[in-house]
Amino acid sequence: MAQQPSFGGAAANPVAVISPQFCSPHPIDLAIVRKVMIFSSGGFDVKDTNGNILFKVKDVFAFMRRRRVLLDGAGNPIVTLREKAISQHHRWQVFRGESTERRHLIFSAKIARSGWFSSTTKLDVFLANNTREDVCDFRVVKGSSWLFEPSSCTIYAGKSSAIVAQMHEKQTVKSFFLGKDNFMVTVHPNVDYAFIVALIVILDEINRASSSSSSSGGGG
């Protein structure tokens, strides 16, 4: 199980899911900046409020399966995200570096049984050592809109009410320059912000897949 943040969202000890280097003793505001491309790859950059790129997301196509790789600002791979081939709940797996081997699995996430289209639905997150999956280590509760529309989501520690991160519309003067299609994520102190970004990548992928399915299937 993950270490549980104390009341108020600040973790007593670093919640280092990916690496302690991504844990800050202070709250971190991140801007999610979607790339505008002729052929959209679904990639985006993650910046601090001064415009410095902290992470990049790129698509990788291998064996007819799409993966997304989270890179640091210098372009070094941090984690690889891959949807499980056979899954009833849109399960995504996150591996260290560019690996997709089971021994390098860090965590997985799946849509909860209540369904993605419920206003109170959530993504359940399980760390690799939580093999029984009786209780999730983290959960993501989304707002009523899609990720890259005016929306919000909140990430909690396990089944508790302790918030570890929140996504919201840009609100500060500093973030105004980042553009109309971008959103801010506030990560609470001592919480792995690379892990939070990885969760947002999964949310974005699920949203894109659901949107594509709706538009091509005609609601069937």
Side-chain angles (χ1 to χ4, degrees), residues 88-126:
Q88 295 181 341
H89 302 285
H90 287 285
R91 180 184 289 267
W92 278 78
Q93 298 173 309
V94 179
F95 303 85
R96 197 166 300 282
E98 294 182 286
S99 174
T100 55
E101 296 181 21
R102 174 69 189 182
R103 62 193 178 96
H104 294 141
L105 179 68
I106 302 174
F107 69 91
S108 62
K110 67 177 183 179
I111 297 176
R113 288 189 177 89
S114 53
W116 187 243
F117 293 98
S118 168
S119 62
T120 59
T121 56
K122 58 184 180 293
L123 199 64
D124 287 339
V125 182
F126 304 94

Side-chain angles (χ1 to χ4, degrees), residues 81-83 87-94 107-127 133 135-143 146-147 152-160 164 195-207 210:
L81 304 92
R82 182 185 68 177
E83 185 175 17
S87 173
Q88 295 181 341
H89 302 285
H90 287 285
R91 180 184 289 267
W92 278 78
Q93 298 173 309
V94 179
F107 69 91
S108 62
K110 67 177 183 179
I111 297 176
R113 288 189 177 89
S114 53
W116 187 243
F117 293 98
S118 168
S119 62
T120 59
T121 56
K122 58 184 180 293
L123 199 64
D124 287 339
V125 182
F126 304 94
L127 300 183
E133 297 189 354
V135 180
C136 63
D137 296 287
F138 298 89
R139 59 191 171 94
V140 183
V141 178
K142 75 179 184 71
W146 294 113
L147 180 60
S152 64
C153 73
T154 303
I155 302 172
Y156 297 90
K159 295 293 187 180
S160 75
V164 297
F195 164 63
I196 300 301
V197 171
L199 289 179
I200 292 173
V201 173
I202 293 172
L203 288 173
D204 179 57
E205 186 62 31
I206 292 172
N207 290 342
S210 297

Side-chain angles (χ1 to χ4, degrees), residues 8-20:
N13 298 304
V15 181
V17 175
I18 294 176
S19 172

Side-chain angles (χ1 to χ4, degrees), residues 147-203:
L147 180 60
F148 284 99
E149 296 176 3
S151 59
S152 64
C153 73
T154 303
I155 302 172
Y156 297 90
K159 295 293 187 180
S160 75
S161 61
I163 296 173
V164 297
Q166 289 179 290
M167 187 179 74
H168 48 83
E169 293 180 77
K170 56 185 183 299
Q171 296 177 344
T172 66
V173 174
K174 280 188 176 181
S175 66
F176 180 78
F177 78 95
L178 293 168
K180 65 179 182 179
D181 295 324
N182 307 307
F183 292 84
M184 301 298 297
V185 179
T186 298
V187 183
H188 285 241
N190 293 323
V191 175
D192 188 331
Y193 53 90
F195 164 63
I196 300 301
V197 171
L199 289 179
I200 292 173
V201 173
I202 293 172
L203 288 173

Side-chain angles (χ1 to χ4, degrees), residues 68-82:
R68 302 185 85 173
V69 181
L70 178 65
L71 313 169
D72 64 18
N76 302 307
I78 299 172
V79 293
T80 296
L81 304 92
R82 182 185 68 177

